[in-house]
Amino acid sequence: MPGVAILAADGFETIECLTVVDVLRRGGVHAALVSVMDTRDVVTSQQIPVTCDVTLDEVDFSNYDYLVLPGGMPGATNLRADERVCDLVREFAATRHVAAICAAPFILAELGVLEGHRATCFPGFEASFPEGCHAGERTVVVDGNIITASGMGQALPFALAILEDIAGEVAVEKVKDGIQL
């Protein structure tokens, strides 16, 4: 089964990040929480300390088919500022899958990977989107190998969309039943 690398930088939105990890692991998907900081320890935008599974330098990305970018500020800008992250986003968008939520889709737009795709983001972050790309607010958009979501309120549907793309509807239904959704 494909692996998923969820990137975490200081200032990420707690629910957007950890919901993806939780749902994917419940669905039987190998999901690694990857710190882009110097250590495995990161701090959310709500000042919650989180210890990641690995650091970016410890990961062999050939073992992963999905790259997930949580939003939150300044987490999304911290991801964008890391050239290693930008290189990974370009590579995964060209050859595998990328998912981004809330503010993080602006990274995809600035790196040129939303060209020809429909996407969403937290209101105000669509300024860098290509013309005609923005698909609206309060939603999850699956377009080819790119999945985007508009904000924290869409974290669970976003995680389930990633799970469905990787493991199918049976896995999604199993998780939904297990969490009483």
Side-chain angles (χ1 to χ4, degrees):
M1 177 155 310
V4 179
I6 301 100
L7 304 185
D10 282 344
F12 71 87
E13 173 58 53
T14 312
I15 291 174
E16 294 168 359
C17 181
L18 297 183
T19 299
V20 173
V21 175
D22 183 287
V23 165
L24 293 176
R25 288 182 181 177
R26 286 175 191 265
V29 174
H30 171 65
L33 187 54
V34 180
S35 169
V36 303
M37 311 310 292
D38 292 334
T39 71
R40 291 183 183 189
D41 299 320
V42 293
V43 179
T44 74
S45 58
Q46 293 75 36
Q47 300 305 303
I48 300 168
V50 174
T51 300
C52 295
D53 301 309
V54 292
T55 66
L56 194 65
D57 294 330
E58 296 172 320
V59 176
D60 176 359
F61 283 95
S62 67
N63 295 321
Y64 295 90
D65 293 315
Y66 255 93
L67 190 67
V68 177
L69 308 176
M73 295 302 280
T77 55
N78 288 337
L79 289 173
R80 175 63 176 99
D82 190 320
E83 198 54 44
R84 300 170 304 168
V85 171
C86 296
D87 290 343
L88 285 167
V89 168
R90 288 183 195 103
E91 176 189 339
F92 274 74
T95 62
R96 297 176 245 181
H97 302 270
V98 176
I101 185 170
C102 193
F106 94 86
I107 299 167
L108 307 182
E110 287 188 359
L111 296 177
V113 302
L114 289 183
E115 203 62 51
H117 290 278
R118 301 280 289 157
T120 189
C121 62
F122 193 82
F125 286 92
E126 71 278 359
S128 57
F129 279 28
E131 187 164 335
C133 174
H134 190 248
E137 299 175 6
R138 299 179 189 225
T139 188
V140 174
V141 177
V142 178
D143 188 347
N145 67 329
I146 295 177
I147 298 175
T148 54
S150 57
M152 185 180 80
Q154 297 299 318
L156 186 54
F158 175 68
L160 291 169
I162 296 168
L163 178 61
E164 182 173 4
D165 194 42
I166 294 168
E169 185 60 34
V170 171
V172 169
E173 289 306 315
K174 179 182 173 194
V175 170
K176 282 182 171 181
D177 287 345
I179 63 172
Q180 297 293 294
L181 184 62

